[in-house]
Structures are given as C-alpha cells and as structure tokens.
Coordinates of all heavy atoms in Angstrom, one line a residue:
M1216 N 20.7 24.6 16.8 CA 19.4 24.1 17.4 C 18.4 23.9 16.2 O 17.6 23.0 16.3 CB 18.9 25.2 18.4 CG 17.4 25.0 18.7 SD 17.2 23.7 19.9 CE 15.5 23.9 20.3
N1217 N 18.3 24.8 15.2 CA 17.4 24.7 14.1 C 17.5 23.4 13.4 O 16.5 22.8 13.0 CB 17.5 25.9 13.2 CG 17.0 27.2 13.8 OD1 16.3 27.2 14.8 ND2 17.3 28.3 13.2
W1218 N 18.8 23.0 13.1 CA 19.0 21.8 12.3 C 18.5 20.6 13.1 O 18.0 19.6 12.5 CB 20.4 21.7 11.9 CG 21.4 21.4 13.1 CD1 22.0 22.4 13.8 CD2 21.8 20.2 13.6 NE1 22.8 21.8 14.8 CE2 22.7 20.4 14.6 CE3 21.6 18.8 13.2 CZ2 23.3 19.4 15.4 CZ3 22.2 17.8 13.9 CH2 23.0 18.1 15.0
L1219 N 18.5 20.6 14.4 CA 17.9 19.5 15.2 C 16.4 19.3 15.0 O 15.9 18.2 15.0 CB 18.3 19.6 16.7 CG 19.7 19.4 17.1 CD1 19.9 19.7 18.5 CD2 20.1 17.9 16.8
L1220 N 15.8 20.4 14.9 CA 14.3 20.4 14.6 C 14.0 19.8 13.2 O 13.1 18.9 13.1 CB 13.7 21.8 14.6 CG 13.7 22.4 16.0 CD1 13.4 23.9 15.9 CD2 12.7 21.7 16.9
V1221 N 14.8 20.1 12.2 CA 14.7 19.5 10.9 C 15.0 18.0 10.9 O 14.2 17.3 10.4 CB 15.6 20.3 9.9 CG1 15.5 19.6 8.5 CG2 15.2 21.7 9.7
V1222 N 16.0 17.7 11.6 CA 16.4 16.2 11.7 C 15.3 15.5 12.5 O 14.9 14.4 12.1 CB 17.7 16.1 12.5 CG1 18.0 14.6 12.9 CG2 18.9 16.6 11.6
G1223 N 14.7 16.1 13.5 CA 13.7 15.4 14.3 C 12.4 15.2 13.4 O 11.8 14.1 13.5
G1224 N 12.0 16.2 12.7 CA 10.9 16.0 11.8 C 11.1 15.0 10.7 O 10.3 14.2 10.4
A1225 N 12.4 15.0 10.1 CA 12.7 14.0 9.1 C 12.8 12.6 9.7 O 12.4 11.7 8.9 CB 14.1 14.4 8.5
M1226 N 13.1 12.5 10.9 CA 13.2 11.1 11.5 C 11.8 10.5 11.6 O 11.6 9.3 11.6 CB 13.8 11.2 12.9 CG 15.3 11.4 12.9 SD 16.1 11.6 14.5 CE 15.5 10.2 15.4
V1227 N 10.8 11.3 11.6 CA 9.4 10.9 11.6 C 8.9 10.7 10.2 O 8.2 9.8 9.8 CB 8.5 11.8 12.5 CG1 7.0 11.4 12.3 CG2 8.9 11.8 13.9
G1228 N 9.2 11.7 9.4 CA 8.7 11.8 8.0 C 9.2 10.7 7.1 O 8.4 10.2 6.3
A1229 N 10.4 10.4 7.2 CA 11.0 9.3 6.2 C 10.3 8.0 6.5 O 9.9 7.3 5.5 CB 12.5 9.3 6.4
P1230 N 10.3 7.4 7.7 CA 9.7 6.2 7.9 C 8.2 6.2 7.7 O 7.6 5.3 7.2 CB 10.0 5.8 9.4 CG 10.8 6.8 9.9 CD 11.0 7.9 8.9
L1231 N 7.5 7.4 8.0 CA 6.1 7.5 7.7 C 5.9 7.4 6.2 O 4.9 6.8 5.8 CB 5.6 8.9 8.3 CG 4.2 9.1 8.2 CD1 3.4 8.1 8.9 CD2 3.9 10.5 8.7
R1232 N 6.7 8.0 5.4 CA 6.6 7.9 3.9 C 6.7 6.5 3.5 O 5.9 6.0 2.7 CB 7.6 8.8 3.2 CG 7.6 8.6 1.7 CD 8.5 9.5 0.9 NE 9.9 9.2 1.1 CZ 10.5 8.3 0.3 NH1 9.9 7.7 -0.7 NH2 11.8 8.1 0.4
Y1233 N 7.7 5.8 3.9 CA 7.9 4.4 3.5 C 6.7 3.5 3.9 O 6.2 2.8 3.1 CB 9.2 3.9 4.1 CG 9.4 2.4 3.8 CD1 9.8 2.0 2.6 CD2 9.1 1.5 4.8 CE1 10.0 0.6 2.3 CE2 9.3 0.1 4.5 CZ 9.7 -0.3 3.3 OH 9.8 -1.6 3.0
L1234 N 6.3 3.6 5.2 CA 5.2 2.8 5.7 C 3.9 3.1 5.0 O 3.1 2.2 4.7 CB 5.1 2.9 7.2 CG 6.3 2.4 8.0 CD1 6.2 2.7 9.5 CD2 6.5 0.9 7.8
T1235 N 3.6 4.4 4.8 CA 2.4 4.8 4.1 C 2.4 4.3 2.7 O 1.4 3.8 2.2 CB 2.2 6.3 4.2 OG1 2.2 6.7 5.6 CG2 0.9 6.7 3.6
D1236 N 3.5 4.5 2.0 CA 3.6 4.1 0.6 C 3.4 2.6 0.5 O 2.6 2.2 -0.4 CB 5.0 4.4 0.1 CG 5.2 3.9 -1.3 OD1 4.5 4.4 -2.2 OD2 6.1 3.0 -1.5
R1237 N 4.0 1.8 1.3 CA 3.8 0.3 1.3 C 2.4 -0.1 1.6 O 1.8 -0.9 0.9 CB 4.7 -0.4 2.2 CG 6.2 -0.2 1.9 CD 6.6 -0.9 0.5 NE 6.4 0.1 -0.6 CZ 6.1 -0.3 -1.8 NH1 6.0 -1.5 -2.2 NH2 5.9 0.7 -2.7
A1238 N 1.8 0.6 2.6 CA 0.4 0.3 3.0 C -0.6 0.6 1.9 O -1.5 -0.2 1.6 CB 0.0 1.0 4.3
V1239 N -0.5 1.8 1.3 CA -1.4 2.2 0.3 C -1.2 1.4 -1.0 O -2.2 0.9 -1.6 CB -1.2 3.7 0.0 CG1 -2.0 4.2 -1.2 CG2 -1.6 4.5 1.2
Q1240 N 0.0 1.2 -1.4 CA 0.3 0.5 -2.6 C -0.2 -1.0 -2.5 O -0.6 -1.6 -3.5 CB 1.8 0.5 -3.0 CG 2.0 0.2 -4.4 CD 1.4 1.2 -5.4 OE1 1.3 2.4 -5.2 NE2 0.8 0.7 -6.5
S1241 N -0.1 -1.6 -1.3 CA -0.5 -3.0 -1.2 C -2.0 -3.2 -1.3 O -2.4 -4.3 -1.6 CB 0.0 -3.6 0.2 OG -0.7 -3.0 1.2
R1242 N -2.7 -2.1 -1.2 CA -4.2 -2.2 -1.3 C -4.7 -2.0 -2.8 O -5.9 -2.0 -3.0 CB -4.8 -1.2 -0.4 CG -4.7 -1.7 1.1 CD -5.1 -0.6 2.0 NE -5.2 -1.0 3.4 CZ -4.1 -1.2 4.2 NH1 -2.9 -1.0 3.7 NH2 -4.3 -1.6 5.4
H1243 N -3.8 -1.7 -3.7 CA -4.1 -1.5 -5.1 C -3.4 -2.4 -6.0 O -2.2 -2.6 -6.0 CB -3.8 0.0 -5.5 CG -4.5 1.0 -4.7 ND1 -4.2 1.5 -3.5 CD2 -5.8 1.6 -5.0 CE1 -5.1 2.3 -3.0 NE2 -6.0 2.4 -3.9
D1244 N -4.2 -3.1 -6.9 CA -3.7 -3.9 -7.9 C -3.5 -3.2 -9.2 O -4.3 -3.4 -10.1 CB -4.6 -5.1 -8.0 CG -4.0 -6.2 -9.0 OD1 -2.7 -6.2 -9.1 OD2 -4.8 -7.0 -9.5
S1245 N -2.6 -2.2 -9.2 CA -2.4 -1.3 -10.3 C -0.9 -0.9 -10.4 O -0.2 -0.9 -9.3 CB -3.2 -0.1 -10.1 OG -3.0 0.9 -11.1
V1246 N -0.5 -0.6 -11.6 CA 0.9 -0.1 -11.7 C 1.0 1.4 -11.3 O 2.0 1.9 -11.1 CB 1.4 -0.3 -13.1 CG1 1.5 -1.7 -13.5 CG2 0.6 0.5 -14.2
F1247 N -0.2 2.1 -11.1 CA -0.2 3.5 -10.7 C 0.4 3.6 -9.3 O 0.0 2.8 -8.5 CB -1.6 4.0 -10.8 CG -1.6 5.5 -10.6 CD1 -1.4 6.4 -11.7 CD2 -1.9 6.1 -9.3 CE1 -1.5 7.7 -11.5 CE2 -1.9 7.4 -9.2 CZ -1.7 8.3 -10.3
P1248 N 1.3 4.5 -9.1 CA 2.0 4.7 -7.8 C 1.1 5.4 -6.8 O 1.4 6.5 -6.4 CB 3.2 5.5 -8.2 CG 2.9 6.3 -9.4 CD 1.9 5.4 -10.1
W1249 N 0.1 4.7 -6.3 CA -0.8 5.3 -5.4 C -0.1 5.7 -4.1 O -0.5 6.7 -3.4 CB -2.0 4.3 -5.1 CG -2.9 4.2 -6.2 CD1 -3.1 3.2 -7.0 CD2 -3.8 5.2 -6.7 NE1 -4.0 3.4 -8.0 CE2 -4.5 4.7 -7.8 CE3 -4.1 6.5 -6.2 CZ2 -5.5 5.4 -8.5 CZ3 -5.1 7.2 -6.9 CH2 -5.8 6.6 -8.0
G1250 N 0.8 5.0 -3.6 CA 1.5 5.3 -2.3 C 2.2 6.6 -2.4 O 2.1 7.5 -1.5
T1251 N 3.0 6.8 -3.4 CA 3.7 8.1 -3.6 C 2.8 9.2 -3.8 O 2.9 10.3 -3.2 CB 4.7 8.0 -4.8 OG1 5.6 6.9 -4.6 CG2 5.5 9.3 -5.0
F1252 N 1.7 9.0 -4.6 CA 0.7 10.0 -4.8 C 0.1 10.4 -3.4 O -0.1 11.6 -3.2 CB -0.4 9.4 -5.7 CG -1.5 10.4 -6.0 CD1 -1.3 11.4 -7.0 CD2 -2.7 10.3 -5.4 CE1 -2.4 12.3 -7.3 CE2 -3.7 11.2 -5.7 CZ -3.6 12.2 -6.6
A1253 N -0.2 9.5 -2.6 CA -0.9 9.8 -1.3 C 0.0 10.6 -0.4 O -0.4 11.5 0.2 CB -1.3 8.4 -0.6
V1254 N 1.3 10.2 -0.3 CA 2.2 10.9 0.6 C 2.5 12.3 0.1 O 2.5 13.3 0.9 CB 3.5 10.2 0.9 CG1 3.2 8.9 1.7 CG2 4.3 9.9 -0.3
N1255 N 2.6 12.5 -1.2 CA 2.8 13.8 -1.8 C 1.6 14.8 -1.6 O 1.8 15.9 -1.3 CB 3.2 13.7 -3.3 CG 4.6 13.2 -3.4 OD1 5.4 13.2 -2.5 ND2 5.0 12.8 -4.6
V1256 N 0.4 14.3 -1.8 CA -0.7 15.1 -1.7 C -0.9 15.4 -0.2 O -1.2 16.6 0.2 CB -2.0 14.4 -2.2 CG1 -3.3 15.2 -1.9 CG2 -1.9 14.3 -3.8
T1257 N -0.7 14.5 0.7 CA -0.8 14.7 2.1 C 0.2 15.8 2.6 O -0.1 16.7 3.3 CB -0.6 13.4 2.9 OG1 -1.6 12.5 2.6 CG2 -0.6 13.7 4.4
G1258 N 1.4 15.7 2.1 CA 2.5 16.6 2.4 C 2.1 18.1 1.9 O 2.3 19.0 2.6
C1259 N 1.4 18.2 0.7 CA 1.0 19.5 0.2 C -0.1 20.0 1.1 O 0.0 21.3 1.4 CB 0.5 19.3 -1.2 SG 1.7 18.9 -2.4
L1260 N -0.9 19.2 1.6 CA -2.0 19.7 2.5 C -1.4 20.2 3.8 O -1.7 21.3 4.3 CB -3.0 18.6 2.8 CG -4.1 18.9 3.8 CD1 -5.0 20.0 3.3 CD2 -4.9 17.7 4.2
V1261 N -0.5 19.4 4.4 CA 0.2 19.8 5.6 C 1.0 21.1 5.5 O 0.9 22.1 6.3 CB 1.1 18.7 6.2 CG1 1.9 19.2 7.4 CG2 0.2 17.5 6.6
L1262 N 1.7 21.2 4.4 CA 2.5 22.5 4.1 C 1.5 23.7 3.9 O 1.8 24.8 4.4 CB 3.4 22.3 2.9 CG 4.7 21.6 3.2 CD1 5.4 21.4 1.9 CD2 5.5 22.4 4.1
G1263 N 0.4 23.4 3.3 CA -0.6 24.5 3.2 C -1.1 25.0 4.5 O -1.2 26.1 4.8
L1264 N -1.3 24.0 5.4 CA -1.8 24.3 6.8 C -0.7 25.1 7.5 O -1.0 25.9 8.4 CB -2.1 23.1 7.6 CG -3.4 22.3 7.2 CD1 -3.5 20.9 7.8 CD2 -4.6 23.2 7.6
L1265 N 0.6 24.8 7.2 CA 1.6 25.5 8.0 C 2.1 26.8 7.4 O 3.0 27.4 8.0 CB 2.8 24.5 8.0 CG 2.7 23.2 8.7 CD1 3.9 22.3 8.5 CD2 2.5 23.4 10.2
T1266 N 1.5 27.3 6.4 CA 2.0 28.5 5.7 C 2.1 29.7 6.6 O 3.0 30.5 6.4 CB 1.1 28.8 4.5 OG1 -0.2 29.0 4.9 CG2 1.3 27.8 3.4
G1267 N 1.2 29.8 7.5 CA 1.2 31.0 8.4 C 2.1 30.9 9.6 O 2.3 31.9 10.3
L1268 N 2.7 29.7 9.8 CA 3.5 29.5 10.9 C 5.0 29.8 10.6 O 5.4 29.7 9.5 CB 3.4 28.1 11.4 CG 2.1 27.6 11.8 CD1 2.1 26.1 12.2 CD2 1.5 28.4 13.0
A1269 N 5.7 30.2 11.6 CA 7.1 30.5 11.4 C 7.9 29.9 12.5 O 7.3 29.4 13.5 CB 7.3 32.0 11.4
G1270 N 9.2 29.9 12.4 CA 10.0 29.5 13.5 C 10.1 28.0 13.6 O 10.2 27.2 12.7
H1271 N 10.1 27.6 14.9 CA 10.4 26.2 15.2 C 9.4 25.2 14.7 O 9.7 24.1 14.2 CB 10.4 26.0 16.8 CG 11.6 26.8 17.4 ND1 12.8 26.8 16.9 CD2 11.6 27.6 18.5 CE1 13.6 27.5 17.6 NE2 12.9 28.1 18.6
V1272 N 8.1 25.5 14.7 CA 7.1 24.6 14.2 C 7.3 24.4 12.6 O 7.2 23.3 12.2 CB 5.7 25.1 14.5 CG1 4.6 24.3 13.8 CG2 5.4 25.2 15.9
Q1273 N 7.6 25.5 11.9 CA 7.8 25.4 10.5 C 9.0 24.5 10.2 O 9.0 23.7 9.3 CB 8.0 26.8 9.9 CG 8.2 26.8 8.4 CD 7.0 26.3 7.6 OE1 5.9 26.4 8.0 NE2 7.3 25.7 6.5
L1274 N 10.1 24.7 11.0 CA 11.3 23.9 10.8 C 11.0 22.4 11.1 O 11.4 21.5 10.3 CB 12.4 24.3 11.7 CG 13.1 25.7 11.2 CD1 14.0 26.1 12.4 CD2 13.8 25.5 9.9
L1275 N 10.3 22.1 12.2 CA 10.0 20.7 12.6 C 9.1 20.0 11.6 O 9.4 19.0 11.1 CB 9.5 20.7 14.0 CG 9.1 19.3 14.5 CD1 10.3 18.5 14.8 CD2 8.3 19.5 15.8
L1276 N 8.0 20.7 11.4 CA 6.9 20.0 10.6 C 7.0 20.3 9.1 O 6.8 19.4 8.2 CB 5.5 20.4 11.1 CG 5.2 20.1 12.5 CD1 3.8 20.6 12.9 CD2 5.3 18.6 12.7
G1277 N 7.3 21.5 8.7 CA 7.4 21.9 7.3 C 8.6 21.3 6.6 O 8.5 20.5 5.7
T1278 N 9.7 21.8 7.1 CA 11.0 21.4 6.5 C 11.4 19.9 6.8 O 11.7 19.2 5.9 CB 12.2 22.3 6.9 OG1 11.8 23.7 6.6 CG2 13.5 22.0 6.2
G1279 N 11.3 19.6 8.1 CA 11.7 18.2 8.5 C 10.7 17.2 8.1 O 11.0 16.3 7.3
L1280 N 9.5 17.2 8.7 CA 8.5 16.1 8.4 C 8.1 16.1 7.0 O 8.1 15.1 6.3 CB 7.3 16.3 9.3 CG 6.2 15.3 9.1 CD1 6.5 14.1 9.9 CD2 4.8 15.9 9.6
C1281 N 7.6 17.2 6.5 CA 7.1 17.2 5.1 C 8.2 17.1 4.1 O 7.9 16.4 3.0 CB 6.3 18.5 4.8 SG 4.7 18.6 5.7
G1282 N 9.4 17.6 4.4 CA 10.5 17.4 3.5 C 10.9 15.9 3.3 O 11.2 15.5 2.2
A1283 N 10.7 15.2 4.4 CA 11.1 13.7 4.3 C 9.9 12.9 3.9 O 10.0 11.8 3.3 CB 11.6 13.2 5.7
L1284 N 8.7 13.4 4.1 CA 7.5 12.7 3.8 C 7.2 12.7 2.3 O 6.9 11.7 1.6 CB 6.3 13.3 4.5 CG 4.9 12.7 4.2 CD1 4.8 11.2 4.6 CD2 3.8 13.5 4.8
T1285 N 7.4 13.9 1.7 CA 7.1 14.0 0.2 C 8.3 13.7 -0.6 O 9.5 13.7 -0.1 CB 6.6 15.4 -0.1 OG1 7.7 16.3 0.3 CG2 5.4 15.8 0.6
T1286 N 8.1 13.3 -1.8 CA 9.2 12.8 -2.7 C 9.0 13.2 -4.1 O 8.3 12.5 -4.8 CB 9.5 11.4 -2.4 OG1 10.5 10.9 -3.4 CG2 8.2 10.5 -2.6
Y1287 N 9.7 14.2 -4.6 CA 9.6 14.6 -6.0 C 10.5 13.6 -6.8 O 10.1 13.2 -7.9 CB 10.1 16.0 -6.2 CG 9.9 16.5 -7.6 CD1 8.6 16.8 -8.0 CD2 10.9 16.6 -8.5 CE1 8.4 17.3 -9.3 CE2 10.8 17.0 -9.8 CZ 9.5 17.4 -10.2 OH 9.3 17.8 -11.4
S1288 N 11.6 13.1 -6.2 CA 12.4 12.2 -7.0 C 11.7 10.9 -7.3 O 11.8 10.3 -8.4 CB 13.7 12.0 -6.2 OG 13.5 11.4 -4.9
T1289 N 11.0 10.3 -6.3 CA 10.3 9.0 -6.5 C 9.2 9.3 -7.5 O 8.9 8.4 -8.3 CB 9.8 8.5 -5.2 OG1 10.9 8.3 -4.3 CG2 9.1 7.2 -5.4
F1290 N 8.5 10.4 -7.3 CA 7.4 10.7 -8.3 C 8.0 10.7 -9.7 O 7.4 10.2 -10.6 CB 6.8 12.1 -7.9 CG 6.1 12.8 -9.1 CD1 4.9 12.4 -9.6 CD2 6.7 13.9 -9.7 CE1 4.3 13.0 -10.6 CE2 6.1 14.5 -10.7 CZ 4.9 14.1 -11.2
S1291 N 9.1 11.4 -9.9 CA 9.7 11.5 -11.2 C 10.1 10.1 -11.8 O 9.9 9.7 -12.9 CB 11.0 12.4 -11.2 OG 10.6 13.7 -10.8
Y1292 N 10.8 9.3 -10.9 CA 11.3 8.0 -11.3 C 10.1 7.1 -11.6 O 10.1 6.4 -12.7 CB 12.1 7.4 -10.1 CG 12.4 5.9 -10.4 CD1 13.4 5.6 -11.2 CD2 11.7 4.9 -9.7 CE1 13.7 4.2 -11.5 CE2 12.0 3.6 -9.9 CZ 13.0 3.3 -10.8 OH 13.2 1.9 -11.0
E1293 N 9.0 7.1 -10.8 CA 7.9 6.2 -11.1 C 7.2 6.7 -12.4 O 6.7 5.8 -13.1 CB 6.9 6.3 -9.9 CG 7.5 5.5 -8.7 CD 6.7 5.6 -7.5 OE1 5.8 6.5 -7.4 OE2 6.9 4.8 -6.5
T1294 N 7.1 7.9 -12.6 CA 6.5 8.4 -13.9 C 7.3 8.0 -15.1 O 6.8 7.5 -16.1 CB 6.4 10.0 -13.9 OG1 5.6 10.3 -12.7 CG2 5.7 10.5 -15.1
L1295 N 8.6 8.1 -15.0 CA 9.5 7.6 -16.0 C 9.4 6.1 -16.3 O 9.3 5.7 -17.4 CB 11.0 8.0 -15.7 CG 12.0 7.5 -16.7 CD1 11.8 8.2 -18.0 CD2 13.4 7.8 -16.1
R1296 N 9.3 5.3 -15.2 CA 9.2 3.9 -15.3 C 7.8 3.5 -16.0 O 7.8 2.6 -16.8 CB 9.3 3.2 -13.9 CG 10.6 3.3 -13.3 CD 11.7 2.5 -14.0 NE 11.3 1.1 -14.1 CZ 11.6 0.3 -15.1 NH1 12.3 0.7 -16.2 NH2 11.2 -0.9 -15.2
L1297 N 6.8 4.2 -15.6 CA 5.5 4.0 -16.2 C 5.6 4.2 -17.8 O 5.1 3.4 -18.6 CB 4.4 4.9 -15.7 CG 3.9 4.6 -14.3 CD1 3.1 5.7 -13.7 CD2 3.2 3.3 -14.2
A1298 N 6.2 5.3 -18.2 CA 6.3 5.6 -19.6 C 7.2 4.6 -20.3 O 6.9 4.2 -21.4 CB 6.9 7.0 -19.8
E1299 N 8.3 4.2 -19.7 CA 9.2 3.2 -20.3 C 8.6 1.8 -20.4 O 8.9 1.1 -21.4 CB 10.5 3.1 -19.4 CG 11.4 4.3 -19.5 CD 12.6 4.1 -18.6 OE1 12.6 3.3 -17.7 OE2 13.6 4.9 -18.9
T1300 N 7.7 1.5 -19.5 CA 7.1 0.1 -19.6 C 5.8 0.1 -20.4 O 5.1 -0.9 -20.4 CB 6.8 -0.4 -18.2 OG1 5.9 0.5 -17.5 CG2 8.1 -0.6 -17.4
G1301 N 5.5 1.2 -21.1 CA 4.4 1.2 -22.0 C 3.1 1.7 -21.3 O 2.0 1.8 -22.0
A1302 N 3.1 2.1 -20.1 CA 1.9 2.6 -19.4 C 1.9 4.1 -19.5 O 1.9 4.8 -18.4 CB 1.9 2.1 -17.9
R1303 N 2.0 4.6 -20.7 CA 2.1 6.1 -20.9 C 0.8 6.8 -20.4 O 0.9 7.9 -19.9 CB 2.3 6.4 -22.4 CG 3.7 6.0 -22.8 CD 4.1 6.5 -24.2 NE 5.5 6.2 -24.5 CZ 5.9 5.1 -24.9 NH1 5.1 4.1 -25.2 NH2 7.2 4.9 -25.2
G1304 N -0.3 6.2 -20.5 CA -1.5 6.8 -20.0 C -1.4 7.0 -18.5 O -1.8 8.1 -18.0
Y1305 N -0.9 6.0 -17.8 CA -0.7 6.1 -16.3 C 0.3 7.2 -16.0 O 0.2 7.9 -15.0 CB -0.3 4.8 -15.7 CG -1.5 3.9 -15.4 CD1 -1.5 2.6 -15.9 CD2 -2.5 4.3 -14.6 CE1 -2.5 1.7 -15.7 CE2 -3.6 3.4 -14.4 CZ -3.6 2.1 -14.9 OH -4.6 1.3 -14.6
A1306 N 1.4 7.3 -16.9 CA 2.4 8.3 -16.6 C 1.8 9.7 -16.7 O 2.1 10.6 -15.9 CB 3.5 8.1 -17.6
V1307 N 1.0 9.9 -17.8 CA 0.4 11.3 -18.0 C -0.6 11.5 -16.8 O -0.7 12.6 -16.2 CB -0.3 11.3 -19.3 CG1 -1.2 12.6 -19.4 CG2 0.7 11.3 -20.4
L1308 N -1.4 10.5 -16.5 CA -2.3 10.6 -15.3 C -1.6 10.9 -14.0 O -2.0 11.8 -13.3 CB -3.1 9.3 -15.2 CG -4.1 9.3 -14.0 CD1 -5.2 10.3 -14.1 CD2 -4.7 7.9 -13.8
N1309 N -0.4 10.3 -13.8 CA 0.3 10.6 -12.6 C 0.8 12.0 -12.5 O 0.7 12.7 -11.5 CB 1.5 9.6 -12.5 CG 2.2 9.7 -11.2 OD1 1.6 9.9 -10.1 ND2 3.5 9.5 -11.2
V1310 N 1.3 12.5 -13.6 CA 1.7 13.9 -13.7 C 0.5 14.9 -13.5 O 0.6 15.8 -12.6 CB 2.4 14.3 -15.0 CG1 2.7 15.8 -15.1 CG2 3.7 13.5 -15.1
A1311 N -0.5 14.7 -14.2 CA -1.7 15.6 -14.1 C -2.4 15.5 -12.8 O -2.7 16.6 -12.2 CB -2.7 15.3 -15.2
A1312 N -2.6 14.3 -12.3 CA -3.3 14.1 -11.0 C -2.4 14.7 -9.8 O -2.9 15.3 -8.9 CB -3.7 12.7 -10.8
S1313 N -1.1 14.4 -9.9 CA -0.3 14.9 -8.8 C -0.2 16.4 -8.8 O -0.3 16.9 -7.7 CB 1.2 14.3 -9.0 OG 1.2 12.9 -8.8
L1314 N -0.1 17.0 -9.9 CA -0.1 18.4 -10.0 C -1.4 19.0 -9.5 O -1.4 19.9 -8.6 CB 0.2 18.9 -11.4 CG 0.3 20.5 -11.6 CD1 1.4 21.0 -10.8 CD2 0.5 20.8 -13.0
A1315 N -2.5 18.5 -10.0 CA -3.9 19.1 -9.6 C -4.2 18.8 -8.1 O -4.6 19.7 -7.4 CB -4.9 18.4 -10.5
A1316 N -3.9 17.6 -7.7 CA -4.2 17.2 -6.3 C -3.3 17.9 -5.3 O -3.7 18.3 -4.3 CB -4.2 15.7 -6.1
G1317 N -2.0 18.0 -5.7 CA -1.1 18.7 -4.8 C -1.4 20.1 -4.7 O -1.4 20.6 -3.5
L1318 N -1.6 20.8 -5.8 CA -2.0 22.2 -5.7 C -3.3 22.4 -4.9 O -3.5 23.3 -4.1 CB -2.1 22.9 -7.1 CG -0.7 23.1 -7.7 CD1 -0.9 23.6 -9.2 CD2 0.1 24.2 -7.0
G1319 N -4.3 21.5 -5.2 CA -5.6 21.6 -4.6 C -5.4 21.4 -3.1 O -6.0 22.1 -2.3
A1320 N -4.6 20.5 -2.7 CA -4.4 20.2 -1.2 C -3.7 21.4 -0.6 O -4.0 21.7 0.6 CB -3.6 18.9 -1.1
A1321 N -2.7 21.9 -1.2 CA -2.0 23.1 -0.7 C -3.0 24.3 -0.5 O -3.0 24.9 0.5 CB -0.8 23.5 -1.5
F1322 N -3.8 24.6 -1.5 CA -4.8 25.6 -1.4 C -5.8 25.3 -0.3 O -6.2 26.2 0.5 CB -5.5 25.8 -2.7 CG -4.7 26.7 -3.7 CD1 -4.2 26.1 -4.9 CD2 -4.5 28.0 -3.5 CE1 -3.5 26.8 -5.8 CE2 -3.8 28.8 -4.4 CZ -3.3 28.2 -5.5
A1323 N -6.2 24.1 -0.2 CA -7.2 23.7 0.9 C -6.5 23.9 2.2 O -7.2 24.4 3.2 CB -7.6 22.2 0.7
G1324 N -5.3 23.5 2.4 CA -4.5 23.7 3.6 C -4.5 25.2 4.0 O -4.7 25.5 5.2
V1325 N -4.1 26.0 3.1 CA -4.1 27.4 3.3 C -5.5 28.0 3.8 O -5.6 28.7 4.7 CB -3.6 28.2 2.1 CG1 -3.7 29.7 2.3 CG2 -2.1 27.9 1.9
A1326 N -6.5 27.5 3.0 CA -7.9 28.0 3.4 C -8.3 27.5 4.8 O -8.8 28.3 5.5 CB -8.9 27.4 2.3
L1327 N -7.9 26.3 5.1 CA -8.3 25.8 6.4 C -7.5 26.5 7.5 O -8.0 26.8 8.6 CB -7.9 24.3 6.5 CG -8.9 23.3 5.8 CD1 -8.3 21.9 5.8 CD2 -10.3 23.4 6.5
A1328 N -6.2 26.8 7.3 CA -5.4 27.6 8.2 C -6.0 29.0 8.5 O -5.8 29.5 9.6 CB -4.0 27.6 7.7
R1329 N -6.6 29.6 7.5 CA -7.1 30.9 7.6 C -8.5 31.0 8.3 O -8.9 32.1 8.7 CB -7.3 31.6 6.3 CG -5.9 31.9 5.7 CD -6.0 32.6 4.3 NE -4.7 32.8 3.8 CZ -4.4 33.1 2.6 NH1 -5.4 33.2 1.7 NH2 -3.2 33.4 2.2
L1330 N -9.1 29.8 8.5 CA -10.4 29.8 9.3 C -10.3 30.2 10.7 O -9.4 29.9 11.4 CB -11.0 28.4 9.1 CG -11.5 28.1 7.7 CD1 -12.1 26.6 7.7 CD2 -12.6 29.0 7.3

C-alpha cells in the first residue's frame, strides 16, 4: 500500500516538474536554469512544511510528489553545462542561489508548519 502512495505522488510531481520548468524557462531570456531552480526551491518549501507529518501524507506528498518534483540530477547537469559553455558565473550563481534558496525555503516551511 505504501508504494502506491509514493507512485501516486510521483505521477503528479513528474509532469508538474516538466510543465513548471517549461513555463518558467519560457519566460526568461537567459541561460540560467530558472525552471529547475523554481521547482527545486518549491520542493524544499513543501518538504519543510511536511516535516512534522508522518505516515501516508509524508509518503504521498514528501516522497512521491516532492521526490518527482525536485531534481538534483538536472540541477547538476545544468550547472555542468553552464560551466562547459563558458557561463561560469551563472554556474556559480546556480550553485550558491540553489543552496541558499533551498535551505531558506526548507527553514521557512518548517517555521510555517510550527505556527
């Protein structure tokens, strides 16, 4: 039963990641990966909000939805591509901003959940 909750969340999270990434990136005329940045920070916020929850909700939304919504592999690949194509400043910015915004969103989610 638990694995069905993870699958159900992932079935929503994966297309949501793709559609959000495309929508955000299409609005920016930049090589910076704004779409991936947006879904990763959003996922950090949601996971922060879910920290106090256990059981089925955590499996559905935390592991399933957020697991499919966020993407460390795409973040890594896009950062590598930025560095390889000479956009090293954007690569460093992507790493620093993703780390700061992701942690900030997670902390904000936890703080909101505790209210």
